[in-house]
Amino acid sequence: MAKIAALSGFPEWLPAERLVEQHVIDVFREVAELHGFSGIETRAVEPLDQLLRKGEIDKEVYVLRRLHAEEEDREPSVGEDRSRTLGLHFDLTVPLARYVLEHQNDLAFPLRRFQIQKVWRGERPQDGRFREFYQADLDVVGQDTLPGHIEAEVAVVMAEVLERLPVPSFTVHANTRRLSEGFFRSLGFEDHTAVLRSLDKLPKIGADAVRELLIGEAGATPEQARACLDFASIRSRDASFAERVREIGGSGEMVEQGIADLTAVLERVEAAVPGVIMADLSIARGLDYYTGTVFETFVSGHESLGSVCSGGRYDSLAADNRHTYPGVGLSIGLSRLVSRLLSADLATATRSVPTCVLVSVPAEEHRHLSDAAARALRGRGIPCEVAPSAAKFGKQIRYADRRGIPFIWFPGLDGAADEVKDIRSGAQSAADAATWDPPAEDRHVRVLAADSDPGPLA
């Protein structure tokens, strides 16, 4: 048989790596539910015309059709009706908008929803970027109105998720649409979109090249370009950013309201999760879509990964003839984050299998004793498996050791007591499957940060 080649952009983790990914998924779910968010799952496909409403992403959408497609199932040509063609969703926002409209009469608003699901994008695979990957979203969606404090609340939940994961220190960077737009207007710009588009390229091309873009494409004077770059350089952990904005020419009602909005977010997040929030006025990505606060999150020492968690306030997720649905949402590229955790050895599972105890089989005619011991252990929440064959005990011990299983169980014969052996230390003692407990740190697989002690991550 010819060697099977890996399919680029479609990651498949080994069992120990999958345990790390599952840990990240579990932490996200647990924290979200602690804050009252309900999990939903939407279908994997949406009508193509709905998927393409988000912008120029035609080349990224995978179209779904049968191998022996009939005429009505074929991929439509340019200009043809795409409402009957299905595409795999490339994010979880388009499905959420449809879900809200479709189920609005059965939902209670504000809807507090989290969603962890695979998405598909036909982009070029590279480090941390895949064609099939998990995305984890957290949104609060209102009906017609949504209080401003929700913007900070969603950021707090995401910060708590990241704090419980085996990542180095991270910083949540925040800016507001109102502050940026107000500042550019106070400089005399009528079209702030071109300015945002230029500033968004700062991390890639640097200040000098952005200055040329501002002058050449946004129509800025040298003085305006300098003020825009000064604005984008402002960072602070507290409200001191406001003074700097005013010093470089920011003024007017919109600027002051933006300062108040961003200050409120900083204070609320800092009170709940100290030391992670920062005002960063260079954030421009998404401000042409988001209408309030926007967030991007960077992991210290891994800035090349880009923002691992981003999002913000949008005033019209969806709308019909009766209602509009404003919301605040943040999203983690979960597979991208897991990929970096694994490739940089930032996290590891304590063993490659869930099994805590391997129940040995002394002989095939005694397998029923092994099965009974395993049932008793599982009934008390202790993960275990029965040895696949009644090989010599030394071979069964080696089988367990290779898989990282810490304990092996020996069923007693002819009325003798069962015994359990700690493979790591060699300690062996009599035990009863109805009462014996492993150490708490061994009962379940733990995911540890690279520099952690044997204690589990919260």
Side-chain angles (χ1 to χ4, degrees), residues 231-293:
F231 177 81
S233 70
I234 295 174
R235 314 267 194 289
S236 75
R237 295 278 185 176
D238 54 30
S240 60
F241 73 90
E243 182 178 353
R244 180 63 179 146
V245 170
R246 298 183 185 110
E247 285 176 354
I248 61 175
S251 61
E253 182 179 350
M254 184 175 286
V255 167
E256 293 303 321
Q257 186 59 56
I259 288 172
D261 292 346
L262 186 52
T263 298
V265 169
L266 294 179
E267 291 176 346
R268 289 185 178 118
V269 176
E270 178 65 23
V273 191
V276 304
I277 189 72
M278 170 188 288
D280 179 354
L281 306 194
S282 71
I283 295 179
R285 187 180 68 175
L287 282 176
D288 55 344
Y289 166 73
Y290 292 109
T291 56
T293 309

Side-chain angles (χ1 to χ4, degrees), residues 173-343:
H173 296 234
N175 192 11
T176 69
R177 163 76 176 265
R178 188 175 283 112
L179 177 55
S180 293
E181 184 175 346
F183 180 81
F184 301 142
R185 285 187 177 183
S186 70
L187 294 183
F189 290 100
E190 292 186 5
D191 179 13
H192 68 279
T193 304
V195 180
L196 290 172
R197 190 182 304 116
S198 298
L199 291 178
D200 187 34
K201 299 177 181 178
L202 261 174
K204 294 183 178 179
I205 65 177
D208 291 340
V210 168
R211 181 181 294 106
E212 296 303 316
L213 287 177
L214 287 168
I215 294 172
E217 297 185 6
T221 65
E223 292 75 17
Q224 288 174 323
R226 182 170 55 252
C228 288
L229 289 169
D230 287 344
F231 177 81
S233 70
I234 295 174
R235 314 267 194 289
S236 75
R237 295 278 185 176
D238 54 30
S240 60
F241 73 90
E243 182 178 353
R244 180 63 179 146
V245 170
R246 298 183 185 110
E247 285 176 354
I248 61 175
S251 61
E253 182 179 350
M254 184 175 286
V255 167
E256 293 303 321
Q257 186 59 56
I259 288 172
D261 292 346
L262 186 52
T263 298
V265 169
L266 294 179
E267 291 176 346
R268 289 185 178 118
V269 176
E270 178 65 23
V273 191
V276 304
I277 189 72
M278 170 188 288
D280 179 354
L281 306 194
S282 71
I283 295 179
R285 187 180 68 175
L287 282 176
D288 55 344
Y289 166 73
Y290 292 109
T291 56
T293 309
V294 63
F295 301 95
E296 293 188 1
T297 307
F298 300 92
V299 176
S300 300
H302 298 271
E303 287 78 8
S304 63
L305 192 60
S307 176
V308 299
C309 175
S310 57
R313 169 76 179 243
Y314 43 84
D315 280 339
S316 185
L317 169 73
D320 58 16
N321 293 328
R322 296 185 299 161
H323 302 289
T324 59
Y325 295 91
V328 181
L330 282 169
S331 176
I332 291 178
L334 194 142
S335 295
R336 184 153 59 106
L337 180 59
V338 169
S339 174
R340 181 56 60 94
L341 292 178
L342 296 172
S343 65

Side-chain angles (χ1 to χ4, degrees), residues 109-110 140-148 150 313 315 323-327:
F109 294 96
V140 180
V141 179
Q143 191 175 68
D144 299 324
T145 63
L146 190 69
I150 298 294
R313 169 76 179 243
D315 280 339
H323 302 289
T324 59
Y325 295 91

